[in-house]
Amino acid sequence: MATDATQNAPETGAAAMRRAIALAARGLGSTSPNPVVGCVITDAAGTVVGEGWHQRAGGPHAEVHALRAAGPAARGGTAYVTLEPCNHTGRTGPCAQALIEAGVTRVVYAVPDPNPQASGGAATLRAAGVETEGGFLRAEAEAGNAAWLTSVRLGRPHVTWKYAATLDGRSAAADGSSRWITSPESRADVHRLRAEADAVLVGGGTLRADDPHLAVRGVEGATQPLRVALDTHAALLPGARVLDDAAPTLLVVAENADTRHLPGVDLLRLPLRDGRVPVPELLAALHARGVRSVFLEGGPSLAGSFLEAGAVDRVVGYLAPALLGSGPAALADAGITTIARAVRLQITEAVRIGTDLRITAVPTATAVPTTAPKEH
């Protein structure tokens, strides 16, 4: 059984693992359906000699990148990895064996990997005489991999609901105008978050009111997310901005919708429930397509549907220092009729973005799983 290294690891070890967690985050948006993983290798004196992260699905894993950077200096050193090194030959070779062959004498990892196809890396390392410790800074590493862990645990994509509102909670004015509630800095920050997601999702109301583009702009090297547009009756016109070639688009329509005016558009047909696309079926279909994280940018009604379905895993709210007094609220009916059923959130971050305040929160009932398989 792996030892918990949290209590007795030196401060240099904590710094190395936190660096590995930061490196792992660079893979957000480009590794799906794999997790994000980071690795830092130190020599016997504790000096960093190699770093790496999993950059794309099918490409070398974090450990391989770090070992290549370290070269001979890895021999006798320590590898800090955010996820237990894999023991599986898929599109890439087993990382546990690569670490052994490089002469690493100690491996410290944060999150164990119980996937029958990929697990056993720690046991393989230990059997080869490599000192192996698990569970170090586990919670921090899990937080960085929350989207992938949630998708594995629930069999659906992790959902982040983003909204922009005034301080009195209005997402638009009484006449429907909403551009621009927030600052340019906040809008640029939204593009960064889009780039970290596999898919960006909006509903028919947003399509009609805003003709959104939804592609990522201003983020160097970004992998464009899938643009998912819910348009039950296929009322979208061929010239809609979301249908250009800047990013892939999936149009979600009712199973009997007439789409003859939209030739060549990628369609997902789903049966409606009470006139709406059912959220669980939609997320299951996206998961089957390899989508592991969704950035929900729809209006108040769509957000309410997701919240009612228990499918909001993170909330990112941009609050502008402005007051309207009337107009639609940021969140519409979510099936909550009494204060006792309010969805309570834990604020994980509150920062100034331009003139606005960005608040990030997660439902208090949401627990990041402690173990999850690695996909290859």
Side-chain angles (χ1 to χ4, degrees):
M1 185 173 185
T3 20
D4 188 335
T6 307
Q7 298 300 319
N8 47 29
E11 190 60 36
T12 53
M17 184 62 84
R18 289 194 173 102
R19 173 62 178 167
I21 293 170
L23 289 169
R26 297 185 181 183
L28 287 170
S30 61
T31 65
S32 188
N34 289 354
V36 293
V37 183
C39 177
V40 169
I41 296 175
T42 62
D43 63 15
T47 302
V48 173
V49 293
E51 297 182 341
W53 70 94
H54 185 38
Q55 299 176 12
R56 59 179 179 83
H61 289 185
E63 298 93 322
V64 174
H65 282 297
L67 287 171
R68 288 175 180 172
R75 185 164 298 277
T78 298
Y80 295 87
V81 194
T82 58
L83 188 66
E84 178 184 358
C86 66
N87 201 41
H88 169 65
T89 300
R91 286 185 283 180
T92 61
C95 292
Q97 192 60 41
L99 290 164
I100 293 168
E101 292 173 359
V104 170
T105 57
R106 181 169 175 254
V107 173
V108 180
Y109 64 90
V111 182
D113 185 350
N115 179 4
Q117 290 186 328
S119 65
T124 296
L125 289 164
R126 209 171 292 112
V130 178
E131 180 185 351
T132 307
E133 304 170 1
F136 183 41
L137 299 188
R138 182 170 178 166
E140 293 182 35
E142 285 175 344
N145 227 352
W148 177 77
L149 290 170
T150 299
S151 75
V152 171
R153 176 168 60 94
L154 300 180
R156 64 158 176 81
H158 176 278
V159 177
T160 294
W161 169 45
K162 183 276 298 183
Y163 73 92
T166 59
L167 281 184
D168 56 338
R170 305 293 177 175
S171 62
D175 64 358
S177 60
S178 61
R179 294 186 178 182
W180 295 104
I181 286 179
T182 54
S183 65
E185 292 85 353
S186 289
R187 298 196 293 276
D189 194 59
V190 168
H191 283 277
R192 177 187 63 81
L193 292 178
R194 280 182 185 173
E196 294 180 354
D198 294 341
V200 178
L201 192 153
V202 299
T206 299
L207 287 174
R208 290 186 293 272
D210 298 337
D211 187 23
H213 191 228
L214 301 180
V216 174
R217 298 188 302 275
V219 180
E220 185 178 354
T223 299
Q224 289 291 348
L226 175 68
R227 298 179 291 188
V228 182
L230 272 60
D231 186 21
T232 55
H233 302 297
L236 196 64
L237 297 177
R241 298 174 68 216
V242 77
L243 295 179
D244 69 10
D245 60 0
T249 298
L250 176 66
L251 192 63
V252 183
V253 299
E255 55 186 350
N256 60 349
D258 184 354
T259 59
R260 287 174 294 180
H261 63 296
L262 296 169
V265 175
D266 190 9
L267 299 173
L268 172 61
R269 294 183 180 273
L270 290 175
L272 303 184
R273 184 185 303 157
D274 298 326
R276 299 189 300 181
V277 172
V279 171
E281 285 83 345
L282 169 62
L283 291 177
L286 292 176
H287 190 270
R289 286 173 170 250
V291 173
R292 296 295 178 262
S293 57
V294 168
F295 195 55
L296 178 62
E297 293 198 52
S301 296
L302 186 61
S305 297
F306 270 73
L307 193 64
E308 186 173 11
V312 173
D313 303 297
R314 181 175 66 156
V315 178
V316 179
Y318 294 87
L319 300 181
L323 302 171
L324 283 171
S326 63
L331 180 65
D333 183 16
I336 300 169
T337 56
T338 175
I339 193 66
R341 295 187 57 206
V343 176
R344 301 291 180 176
L345 305 174
Q346 176 186 350
I347 295 176
T348 59
E349 186 182 45
V351 296
R352 284 280 299 271
I353 303 288
T355 56
D356 309 318
L357 178 66
R358 187 190 69 205
I359 296 179
T360 304
V362 297
T364 54
T366 298
V368 175
T370 56
T371 56
K374 183 189 290 185
E375 300 179 38
H376 294 265

